[in-house]
Amino acid sequence: MQPKWMRWAGACALACAITLPIGAQSSSTPTGGLTHGYTQTRYPVVLVHGLFGFDNIGPLEYFYGIPAALRQDGASVHVAQVSAANSTEVRGEQLLRQIKLILATTGAKKVNLMGHSHGAPTARYVASVRPDLVASVTSIGGVHKGAPLADEILKSFPPGTPHNVVVAGLASVAAGVLGVVSGGPILAQNALAAAHSLSTEGSLKFNQAHPWGVPVSACGEGAYKVRGVAYYSWSGAQPVTNLLDINDLRLAISAKAFNGAPNDGQVSTCSSRLGRVIRDNYKMNHLDEVNHVIGLVSWLETNPVTVFRQHANRLKNAGM
Ligand code: CA
């Protein structure tokens, strides 16, 4: 049994911050001195945000500096906006509608989906119900076998209790505010449904219905390609990477919920694995994986923006 302070820290961590501290768009992106066409994938790239995420708030991006870095050398990049907090299935249906619009406007036949955190199972949902529209699913710090913080929240605030109603209501309101300030359509928010989807029980139930790409062993690799869809993943495994980033303190606390298992502060290494595992131990925490906050990441690791660019090149070379 964890002490109460740790449960509250966990609740705060999931509610406040899988979420992102926000920063202005990067004025420069690493190019690595590569030539034009390096990121020119055959199919458009669609980035899918996680819990309490957004596409952008004015010039502020969830995938900080990443769309521009991918576009710079040829990729067509689209940033989806789905409910900041809702079930994987509801978010997945919203994503599917946006993908159909992207295909209609670009004339492309398929998309390459890249999802962070809850965005990864959201992308998997679309690939499961419409594999004909998806060339690849890439999971970045994705939650595929549950997140202990979601388990802890459901345990600490059992559904049906007054505490749960209050906490879930406040979180849903916060998600709604995020949705409004980030513009776009008003989307339904349901923080309790999000917690269920991200829990171990909810994730395993989702995997039964949508198993494609998920490792069958506890911490292995999944199918590289199934039903015409290629599956990839990467994740970080270092909760504290840059002491200038105030979130590292919070991630150091939430990392204790993993009882020593490798994790990025929010998601365990094993839970993050999907399809072909490119790497699962970058010196990155959950926010570093999408280059937050404002590029405050480890100085001893490949820049996350570069990792996205390398992956776009990988997809391009694979004919996707
Ligand atoms: Ca950081």
Side-chain angles (χ1 to χ4, degrees):
M1 188 74 178
Q2 288 179 322
K4 201 156 191 171
W5 68 269
M6 195 179 288
R7 281 193 260 152
W8 277 98
C12 175
L14 193 71
C16 332
I18 276 186
T19 72
L20 293 166
I22 307 171
Q25 181 169 351
S26 175
S27 58
S28 66
T29 52
T31 66
L34 297 160
T35 57
H36 185 74
Y38 180 72
T39 59
Q40 194 166 3
T41 54
R42 177 178 177 187
Y43 301 112
V45 170
V46 180
L47 301 172
V48 189
H49 65 75
L51 177 65
F52 283 92
F54 47 88
D55 50 356
N56 64 287
I57 299 177
L60 315 176
E61 298 177 298
Y62 180 96
F63 291 90
Y64 184 75
I66 292 166
L70 294 176
R71 288 177 185 132
Q72 185 174 332
D73 289 304
S76 165
V77 181
H78 304 262
V79 185
Q81 181 166 10
V82 296
S83 291
N86 216 318
S87 71
T88 304
E89 291 85 353
V90 167
R91 287 165 48 99
E93 286 293 330
Q94 294 166 347
L95 177 60
L96 177 56
R97 285 196 289 276
Q98 289 171 45
I99 289 169
K100 287 177 178 172
L101 196 58
I102 291 166
L103 296 177
T105 53
T106 61
K109 299 292 182 209
K110 298 182 179 192
V111 292
N112 289 306
L113 298 174
M114 299 185 188
H116 176 243
S117 197
H118 196 183
T122 304
R124 278 176 48 210
Y125 173 86
V126 174
S128 180
V129 300
R130 288 302 304 271
D132 56 312
L133 303 183
V134 180
S136 68
V137 170
T138 300
S139 163
I140 300 108
V143 183
H144 302 296
K145 293 185 177 173
L149 296 176
D151 295 339
E152 200 54 51
I153 285 172
L154 292 175
K155 203 192 306 176
S156 301
F157 307 101
T161 64
H163 283 143
N164 178 281
V165 171
V166 171
V167 170
L170 288 174
S172 297
V173 168
V177 170
L178 258 179
V180 168
V181 297
S182 64
I186 302 294
L187 298 165
Q189 309 292 346
N190 186 334
L192 184 58
H196 274 298
S197 282
L198 293 167
S199 70
T200 301
E201 186 186 347
S203 295
L204 297 182
K205 194 174 169 193
F206 179 78
N207 292 348
Q208 285 175 355
H210 310 285
W212 322 112
V214 177
V216 290
S217 61
C219 201
E221 284 190 304
Y224 285 13
K225 196 163 193 176
V226 57
R227 303 200 306 162
V229 181
Y231 289 87
Y232 301 88
S233 61
W234 73 79
S235 66
Q238 190 163 314
V240 177
T241 60
N242 188 322
L243 295 179
L244 296 176
D245 189 340
I246 194 170
N247 290 282
D248 285 36
L249 174 61
R250 178 178 49 72
L251 290 164
I253 294 170
S254 56
K256 294 184 183 302
F258 295 87
N259 297 318
N263 68 88
D264 66 3
Q266 300 272 206
V267 181
S268 78
T269 294
C270 292
S271 184
S272 77
R273 294 171 72 101
L274 180 77
R276 176 182 167 192
V277 179
I278 292 160
R279 205 177 137 186
D280 68 1
N281 64 347
Y282 282 108
K283 294 181 181 67
M284 297 179 190
N285 61 40
H286 200 64
L287 299 185
D288 295 340
E289 290 159 2
V290 284
N291 200 30
H292 272 282
V293 173
I294 55 170
L296 287 176
V297 297
S298 171
W299 297 327
L300 304 173
E301 182 55 274
T302 308
N303 189 279
V305 178
T306 304
V307 176
F308 273 86
R309 284 175 50 84
Q310 290 169 340
H311 188 54
N313 182 254
R314 185 178 291 115
L315 296 176
K316 174 193 169 180
N317 290 338
M320 294 183 282

